[in-house]
């Protein structure tokens, strides 16, 4: 949400440095995520000054150029070569001095001291399109003769600049989703230190000019529409908005459309109340009906899309057909256009749940639905209506041609809460003066109804839909009082609790520390993801997806079954931002249905999972190193050491080719324990990478953390350093090319469990002198007895057992 500083000052008199105000907003719960400067003209006309043409002569080598001498107000006059046909002596003009950067749309021009056809030029005399004040380039801009040379152009044109705060509004604080709402919080904060007046817009001038166009309102769905107000304005003139209104909207990122639409947007961001303007002449039967329509009713919305309505969608209709999806989106044929003359203005309170479900059903997200689905102020609808009607009459002309109609079938009742002073002190951690508590509550529109020594009874303002408990009110007191004003106690009380071993968080931290020490960066992504990612997959089938009943958007319809796609989104983003060499990991949960036929509710499982990603080059580019791309075996080293760091023995896994996940991986390994897949790792399928426009190979490992954790021993074991030497013996084996190294390793450990400590593949060869269909492996076997030194005979016996097993089971030959 964008908040304009100058707009805020319309309601509260403050003169605080923007950076300091940003800190104040953050401390009272409205976190400022960024500060930017808005300039009415891009560049702010920096370097542009008013000048006076002292002389103008033809260029000696160019018929269409003139050589001028211009008084810039300071220093020596400037010699400027100008190509405009209308330049003349005594003109007051805008000049761009040397070093100025001019912006024309997306292009920019740097003004330098240069020679044009042999004549030195020390700047530029500007046309209106070159300084952002128009589109004409027929000649230079000639100013009023009273303009004073040397005056900055920004001052002469009274250029508006503003500071705009980007506020990360939390879902519960919809009351602050407007400039007045933000000003109200600031007024409550400053009221602790000084006298301050919160100025609400004046609507005392609202009055009906006549009753020539009264449009009756009927509410058939009284639960869906708790309040509906309306008024007509006749004989308006649709035109561009005045400059002040356009600047207000542009400062917060809204493009002006026309005066009526701009006014409704202005009041929306001023008071937080969505409004909708209809062309009254297009309303059939000159009547408004709020109701739900039969399933499948067709409706063409403002985006020209034909939509089929649900019988649960609340609609604003005329006497014959729907004209607006209530609280969400208007209709194509009933909106205000340039030819509109008579306006029906709507300001309403719609049920938040109905609006939210309708918006999700039609995949729509608008400024109106954003506010309605979180809960607008039901007591503000009539005020906002009158405020808008006054502005339309004053700016677009016309007359208010009906009374302000207010249909209020189901008033929203304000709740009353009882606060204990003891609870206030206990939850805040500090004893506050009762005067301070009363002052803060009153400044936040809480009405004190009753008070005694021990407690206080308050009426919660209806616009505070998030305040429903005593603790909520105490939180309001604390955020205005200031979290930083609560001193840290000298004593810290803590309770000791028993934690089951192995402790998950401790092991996660150990594993994460290993990855970060090896150059990995942790990513955190949303558990909600696109359903389209899983279309046609067998390894993560669509029928195992956990669907969201009311998804926030089409991109967040399901819970993820794997961390892969989140990681690929992060890789795509980084690659597009020129950061292609990546080592990423994520620790998060994945979700899937336990059974396909049962109801979804409580029929899903969530599994904590680690995901590791490699892509790009192994090392940063350097003249001392060759560019070497990452590969699967680099990933393998990382995930095997990752597992070892948790204390799990790699030898307990059954390692197989990753055939069950062929639609995800183009090759890799699957590590199983008790027929349960614990680690899946390999090269991500190129077809999947194309979906994300990733050209480099991506290597991915996914570790079922829950299963891995179950394999960790409850107690750490310790063994002393071996006193007796380790012996290495090598075998050169000729085997079928379809036999994996893991099969050799498995058979070796089965042949000798106690003395064989390690097996290592140190050479691989296939080619000349090797029969077709065969390959050569050179394998090292490391033997060690912890109780004695091995004899040659013992070594040979062990090696013979291993060799015999390999010959028998793999048809291996010794080379």
């Amino acid at each position: 949400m964008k908040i304009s500083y100058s707009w805020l000052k319309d309601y509260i008199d403050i003169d605080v440095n923007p950076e300091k105000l940003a800190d104040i907003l953050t401390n009272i719960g409205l976190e400022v995520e960024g500060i930017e400067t808005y300039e009415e003209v891009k560049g702010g006309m920096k370097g542009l000054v008013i000048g006076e043409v002292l002389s103008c002569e033809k260029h000696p080598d160019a018929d269409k150029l003139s050589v001028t001498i211009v008084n810039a107000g300071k220093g020596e006059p400037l010699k400027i070569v100008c190509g405009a046909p209308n330049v003349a002596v005594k003109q007051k003009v805008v000049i761009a001095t040397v070093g100025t950067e001019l912006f024309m749309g997306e292009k920019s021009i740097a003004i330098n001291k240069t020679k044009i056809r042999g004549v030195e030029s020390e700047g530029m005399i500007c046309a209106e399109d070159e300084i952002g004040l128009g589109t004409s380039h027929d000649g230079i801009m000639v100013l009023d003769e009273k303009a004073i040379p040397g005056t900055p152009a920004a001052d002469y044109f009274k250029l508006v600049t503003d500071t705009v705060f980007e506020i990360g509004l939390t879902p519960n604080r919809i009351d602050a989703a407007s400039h007045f709402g933000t000003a109200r919080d600031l007024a409550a904060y400053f009221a602790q230190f000084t006298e301050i007046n919160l100025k609400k817009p004046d609507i005392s001038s609202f009055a009906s000019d006549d009753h020539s166009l009264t449009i009756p309102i009927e509410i058939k769905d009284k639960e869906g529409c708790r309040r509906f107000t309306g008024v007509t304005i006749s004989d308006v003139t649709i035109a561009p908005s005045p400059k002040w209104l356009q600047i207000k909207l542009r400062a917060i990122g809204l493009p002006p459309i026309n005066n009526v639409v701009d006014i409704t947007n202005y009041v929306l961001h001023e008071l937080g109340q969505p409004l909708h303007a209809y062309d009254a002449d297009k309303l059939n039967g000159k009547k408004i009906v709020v109701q739900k329509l039969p399933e499948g009713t067709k409706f063409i919305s403002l985006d020209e899309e034909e939509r089929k309505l649900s019988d649960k969608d609340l609609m604003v209709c005329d006497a014959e057909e729907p004209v607006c999806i209530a609280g969400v989106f208007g209709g194509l044929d009933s909106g205000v256009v340039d030819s509109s003359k008579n306006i029906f203005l709507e300001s309403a309170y719609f049920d938040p749940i109905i609006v939210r479900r309708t918006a999700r059903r039609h995949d729509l997200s608008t400024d109106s639905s954003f506010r309605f689905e979180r809960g607008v102020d039901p007591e503000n609808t009539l005020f906002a209506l009158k405020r808008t009607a006054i502005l339309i009459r004053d700016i677009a002309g016309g007359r208010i041609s009906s009374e302000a109609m207010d249909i209020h079938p189901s008033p929203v009742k304000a709740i009353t809460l009882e606060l204990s002073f003891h609870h206030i002190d206990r939850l805040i951690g500090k004893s506050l003066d009762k005067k301070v508590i009363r002052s803060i509550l009153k400044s936040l529109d809480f009405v004190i109804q009753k008070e005694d020594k021990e407690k206080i009874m308050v009426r919660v303002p209806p616009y505070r839909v998030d305040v429903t408990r005593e603790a909520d009110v105490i939180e309001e007191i604390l955020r205005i009082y200031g979290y930083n004003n609560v001193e840290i106690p000298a004593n810290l009380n803590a309770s000791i609790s028993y934690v089951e071993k192995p402790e998950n968080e401790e092991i996660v931290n150990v594993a994460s520390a290993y990855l970060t020490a090896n150059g990995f960066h942790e990513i955190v992504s949303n558990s909600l993801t696109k359903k389209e990612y899983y279309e046609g997959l067998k390894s993560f089938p669509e029928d195992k997806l956990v669907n969201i009943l009311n998804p926030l958007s089409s991109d967040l319809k399901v819970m993820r079954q794997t961390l892969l796609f989140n990681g690929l989104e992060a890789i795509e983003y980084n690659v597009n931002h020129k950061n292609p060499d990546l080592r990423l990991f994520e620790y998060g949960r994945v979700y899937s249905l336990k059974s396909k036929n049962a109801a979804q509710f409580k029929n899903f499982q969530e599994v904590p999972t680690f995901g590791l990603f490699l892509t790009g080059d192994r090392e940063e580019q350097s003249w001392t190193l060759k560019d070497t791309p990452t590969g699967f075996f680099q990933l393998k080293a990382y995930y095997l050491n990752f597992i070892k760091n948790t204390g799990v023995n790699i030898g307990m896994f059954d390692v197989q080719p990753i055939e069950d996940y062929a639609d995800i991986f183009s090759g890799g390994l699957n590590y199983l324990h008790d027929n349960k897949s614990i680690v899946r790792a390999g090269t991500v399928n190129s077809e999947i990478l194309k979906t994300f426009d990733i050209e480099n190979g991506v290597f991915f490992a996914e570790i079922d953390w829950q299963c891995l954790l179950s394999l960790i021993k409850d107690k750490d074991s310790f063994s002393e350093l071996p006193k007796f030497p380790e012996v290495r013996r090598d075998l050169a084996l000729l085997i079928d090319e379809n036999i994996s190294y893991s099969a050799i390793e498995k058979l070796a450990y089965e042949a000798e469990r106690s003395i064989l400590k390690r097996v290592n593949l140190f050479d691989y060869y296939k080619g000349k002198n090797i029969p077709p269909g065969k390959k050569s492996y050179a394998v090292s076997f490391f033997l060690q007895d912890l109780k004695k030194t091995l004899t040659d005979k013992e070594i040979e016996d062990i090696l013979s057992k291993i060799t015999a097993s390999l010959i028998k089971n793999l048809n291996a030959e010794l080379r």
Side-chain angles (χ1 to χ4, degrees), residues 221-440:
D221 191 317
K222 294 179 173 53
E223 289 302 314
C225 181
R226 309 285 289 276
R227 189 175 190 182
F228 194 103
T229 64
V231 70
T232 62
I233 306 102
S234 298
D235 296 328
V236 300
T237 301
I238 306 299
S241 297
K243 181 180 177 181
W244 69 266
L245 180 53
Q246 292 192 33
I247 289 173
K248 294 271 192 189
L249 296 179
R250 283 197 175 104
I252 60 172
L254 292 178
I257 298 172
N258 61 53
N259 46 15
V260 172
V261 174
D262 291 350
I263 289 168
T264 60
N265 284 332
Y266 173 79
V267 175
L268 166 68
H269 289 276
E270 178 186 51
L271 299 175
Q273 172 64 43
L275 300 110
H276 192 71
Y278 302 87
D279 187 327
D281 294 328
K282 296 178 181 178
L283 295 176
N284 298 307
K286 295 296 182 288
K287 182 179 181 180
I288 289 291
V289 182
V290 184
Q291 60 184 333
K292 291 173 182 173
L293 297 175
E295 184 78 27
T297 301
K298 294 180 179 180
F299 173 72
I300 301 177
S301 52
L302 270 173
D303 56 1
E304 301 184 5
E305 183 175 336
E306 183 177 273
R307 302 176 184 276
K308 289 186 178 180
L309 301 178
S310 164
D311 58 2
K312 297 179 177 60
D313 294 335
L314 186 67
M315 302 297 295
V316 179
C317 308
D318 59 20
E320 298 177 7
E321 60 186 3
V323 294
C324 180
I325 303 176
V328 182
F329 211 34
L332 180 63
D333 297 328
S334 61
V336 174
V337 295
D338 292 346
S339 59
S340 299
K341 288 294 181 184
N342 303 311
I343 303 298
F344 176 78
L345 188 64
E346 163 207 304
S347 176
Y349 179 89
F350 299 117
D351 181 77
I353 296 175
I354 291 177
V355 172
R356 182 171 64 250
R357 289 177 176 172
T358 295
R360 300 300 169 266
R361 199 154 35 235
H362 295 284
D363 196 19
L364 290 169
S365 179
T366 62
D367 282 340
S368 292
S369 66
F370 176 83
R371 287 161 175 81
F372 275 124
E373 64 191 41
R374 287 162 176 80
V376 298
D377 182 1
E379 295 183 349
N380 198 37
T381 53
L382 185 60
F383 184 95
L385 181 83
K386 291 181 178 180
R387 167 69 167 160
T388 308
I390 291 170
L391 288 171
I392 291 176
R393 181 182 62 186
D394 294 346
I395 293 173
R399 65 190 191 281
I400 298 176
S401 49
S402 73
E403 294 294 338
M405 295 163 282
D406 185 6
I407 311 301
H408 208 174
S410 304
V412 178
K413 296 180 180 179
I415 65 171
T416 301
L417 295 173
E418 184 178 274
L419 311 180
S420 161
F421 289 116
H422 171 70
H423 288 168
I424 294 173
D425 295 344
R426 181 177 61 83
L427 291 180
I428 291 178
K430 181 178 180 178
S431 180
L432 300 187
D433 190 290
K434 292 182 180 180
K435 290 183 179 178
V436 173
I437 295 173
R438 283 193 292 268
S439 173
I440 292 174

Side-chain angles (χ1 to χ4, degrees), residues 58 64 66 82-88 137-140:
K58 287 293 182 183
K64 294 184 178 181
S66 302
C82 180
N86 65 327
V87 63
H137 196 72
D138 295 336
I140 60 169

Side-chain angles (χ1 to χ4, degrees), residues 740-792:
S740 65
Y741 163 73
S742 60
I744 297 173
E745 189 178 48
K746 182 181 179 182
L747 288 171
Y749 281 120
E750 288 177 355
E752 178 51 59
R753 298 182 181 277
S754 60
I755 304 299
L756 181 62
K757 300 303 180 186
R758 289 185 295 130
V759 182
N760 180 51
L761 174 66
F762 68 90
D763 191 25
Y764 162 76
Y765 178 70
K766 182 181 178 183
K768 187 177 180 181
N769 299 326
I770 299 296
K774 297 285 186 178
K775 61 183 176 182
S776 175
Y777 274 180
V779 184
S780 296
F781 300 90
F782 296 86
L783 311 174
Q784 187 178 43
D785 192 328
L786 300 179
K787 298 179 180 179
K788 62 177 180 163
T789 301
L790 290 169
T791 65
D792 289 341

Side-chain angles (χ1 to χ4, degrees), residues 489-534:
N491 298 324
L492 181 64
N493 298 323
S495 59
I496 299 174
S497 59
Y498 172 75
V499 179
E500 291 282 344
K501 295 291 184 180
E503 187 178 349
N504 179 64
E505 291 302 320
E506 181 181 348
I507 307 295
V508 167
N509 290 337
V510 169
S512 300
Y514 163 76
L515 293 172
T516 53
N518 281 277
F520 281 77
H521 290 86
E522 183 173 9
I523 60 173
V524 179
S525 56
N526 200 333
S527 296
L528 303 177
T529 188
K530 296 180 180 179
K531 189 173 185 177
E532 291 74 17
Y533 288 153
Y534 297 89

Side-chain angles (χ1 to χ4, degrees), residues 132-284:
L133 291 182
T135 58
S136 174
H137 196 72
D138 295 336
I140 60 169
M141 185 179 228
V142 181
L143 308 179
D144 189 281
E145 61 182 14
K146 295 179 181 179
I148 301 172
T151 303
D155 294 341
Y156 177 81
F157 291 107
K158 297 179 181 178
L159 202 65
V160 174
T161 60
D162 194 5
T163 299
V164 179
F165 302 101
E166 181 70 43
I167 294 179
L169 197 68
T170 53
N172 63 312
R173 289 305 313 279
I174 194 62
D175 63 289
S178 65
H179 283 76
F180 184 78
T182 302
R184 179 170 51 212
D185 267 15
L186 286 172
Y189 171 81
F190 285 110
Q192 298 179 83
F193 320 109
T194 184
E195 289 284 336
I196 195 159
N197 181 33
L198 180 64
K199 297 173 287 186
K200 198 168 185 178
D202 182 18
I203 61 168
S204 59
S205 64
F206 177 86
S208 167
D209 297 303
D210 58 49
H211 298 87
S212 60
L213 183 58
T214 297
I215 295 180
I217 300 166
E218 180 184 0
I219 300 177
K220 290 186 176 180
D221 191 317
K222 294 179 173 53
E223 289 302 314
C225 181
R226 309 285 289 276
R227 189 175 190 182
F228 194 103
T229 64
V231 70
T232 62
I233 306 102
S234 298
D235 296 328
V236 300
T237 301
I238 306 299
S241 297
K243 181 180 177 181
W244 69 266
L245 180 53
Q246 292 192 33
I247 289 173
K248 294 271 192 189
L249 296 179
R250 283 197 175 104
I252 60 172
L254 292 178
I257 298 172
N258 61 53
N259 46 15
V260 172
V261 174
D262 291 350
I263 289 168
T264 60
N265 284 332
Y266 173 79
V267 175
L268 166 68
H269 289 276
E270 178 186 51
L271 299 175
Q273 172 64 43
L275 300 110
H276 192 71
Y278 302 87
D279 187 327
D281 294 328
K282 296 178 181 178
L283 295 176
N284 298 307

